[in-house]
Amino acid sequence: MKVMVLGSAAGGGFPQWNCNCNNCCGVRSGSLDAIPRTQSSIAVSVDGERWILLNASPDIRSQLEANPPLQPKRGRRDTGVHGVVLADSQIDHTTGLLFLREGCPLRVYCTDMVAQDLSTGFPIFVMLQSWDGGVIHTTVPIDGSAFQVSDIEEISITAIPLDGKAPPYSPHRHDPHVGDNVGYLIEDTRSQASLFYAPGLGQMSSALLDMMGGADCVMVDGTFWSEDEMQRAGVGTKLASDMGHLPQSGDEGMLHWLSKIPGPRKILIHINNTNPILIENSPERKLVEESGVEVAYDGMAFDL
């Protein structure tokens, strides 16, 4: 199974367009050892020709252009993208659907709760009805059963419900439902290789940890280094947990949990512009790497 990281930053990208935190100023001026990143999305394939997008970020057009396998040029109008699988209805994971409108009818796989948000509070599904059939929505089951994207039966995908919040615009932002936020266990049924992908993860559980431990690779929430990171950076007041993210540091942080599963390759993705792990030579980045954990970057690619 082939995996490509199209974007590795959290919402707003890195640097964020309106942010003058130390990280954003430093990457703009070149004074920090850091590289820009677009907003989080990955693509997976078994043959390098038929691809599944996991989330569609607002940066999707530039991401597709930067990754030639996603544009195979077999016809006048063509794409390697056979379907889009959404983990949630966050703006930074769904707005890219609007920029794929020329490819409608567009096959989108997501839970009923995500579809509800994308038909009401942020009605992308409704908007796209005006383009050649719009969105063909397939409901992602949340009962532990697997599904396949059309024409890519060699990849089996299972949604894993996660604790997390619906987006701020959602009609049920303060009324959580199962299916608001899911991770995905993605398996190549031929080689048995597997990837667990969860760019938004607010809490860990023993059952989730056991499942992650059986995967060949886990690509998980790297949004914040610390619980009060936004406050420390001087750009906000919300805590990581308020925003539905598990920070890396601390006794119950992501690094602590990942240390309990020695088997898989471990990669952090969806990294906020304020996170010090973006700085290649920072103490925090050193701690991450010493823990055997990698930091995703745009263009990162590997086979499982």
Side-chain angles (χ1 to χ4, degrees), residues 94-290:
T94 59
T95 306
L97 294 176
L98 295 174
F99 301 102
L100 298 176
R101 63 188 180 275
E102 294 88 357
C104 288
L106 187 64
R107 295 187 179 276
V108 177
Y109 301 76
C110 64
T111 68
D112 282 337
M113 296 312 303
V114 169
Q116 184 182 114
D117 280 345
L118 297 181
S119 302
T120 55
F122 187 31
I124 289 177
F125 284 6
V126 178
M127 295 162 65
L128 287 175
Q129 288 175 0
S130 298
W131 277 270
D132 298 324
V135 167
I136 300 174
H137 170 233
T138 298
T139 296
V140 166
I142 53 175
D143 61 359
S145 57
F147 67 96
Q148 287 79 38
V149 167
S150 180
D151 299 325
I152 311 183
E153 290 77 13
E154 304 96 326
I155 292 181
S156 175
I157 307 175
T158 305
I160 311 297
L162 303 174
D163 289 326
K165 296 182 177 180
Y169 71 77
S170 173
H172 63 274
R173 166 71 168 181
H174 302 293
D175 180 22
H177 290 69
V178 176
D180 285 338
N181 182 25
V182 299
Y184 286 108
L185 181 63
I186 306 159
E187 300 175 276
D188 183 334
T189 58
R190 304 169 310 169
S191 67
Q192 304 304 310
S194 59
L195 167 71
F196 176 70
Y197 176 66
L201 181 56
Q203 294 183 18
M204 191 69 74
S205 68
S206 56
L208 178 60
L209 198 66
D210 288 343
M211 190 276 300
M212 289 168 57
D216 293 300
C217 179
V218 295
M219 191 175 285
V220 292
D221 192 332
T223 310
F224 296 116
W225 173 256
S226 59
E227 172 74 352
D228 60 349
E229 185 173 306
M230 298 288 282
Q231 297 173 11
R232 289 175 183 241
V235 296
T237 59
K238 291 183 178 179
L239 300 175
S241 56
D242 293 335
M243 301 170 71
H245 297 289
L246 180 65
Q248 284 104 61
S249 63
D251 292 341
E252 295 294 317
M254 186 67 78
L255 293 183
H256 164 77
W257 289 109
L258 291 180
S259 69
K260 296 179 178 294
I261 49 171
R265 181 176 182 179
K266 293 166 274 193
I267 304 172
L268 298 174
I269 196 168
H270 194 272
I271 306 157
N272 200 58
N273 64 88
T274 53
N275 195 326
I277 69 172
L278 289 169
I279 305 171
E280 305 278 344
N281 56 0
S282 68
E284 293 85 358
R285 179 61 169 267
K286 183 179 180 181
L287 283 172
V288 169
E289 292 174 346
E290 288 177 345

Side-chain angles (χ1 to χ4, degrees), residues 11-28:
F14 177 59
Q16 183 173 302
W17 67 277
N18 68 336
C19 186
N20 292 311
C21 70
N22 292 340
N23 280 5
C24 290
C25 284
V27 75
R28 286 194 190 102

Side-chain angles (χ1 to χ4, degrees), residues 73-94:
K73 302 178 183 177
R74 295 167 301 199
R76 291 291 185 180
R77 291 288 178 92
D78 193 24
T79 177
V81 177
H82 281 242
V84 183
V85 178
L86 303 175
D88 53 48
S89 53
Q90 298 288 344
I91 285 176
D92 53 316
H93 285 157
T94 59

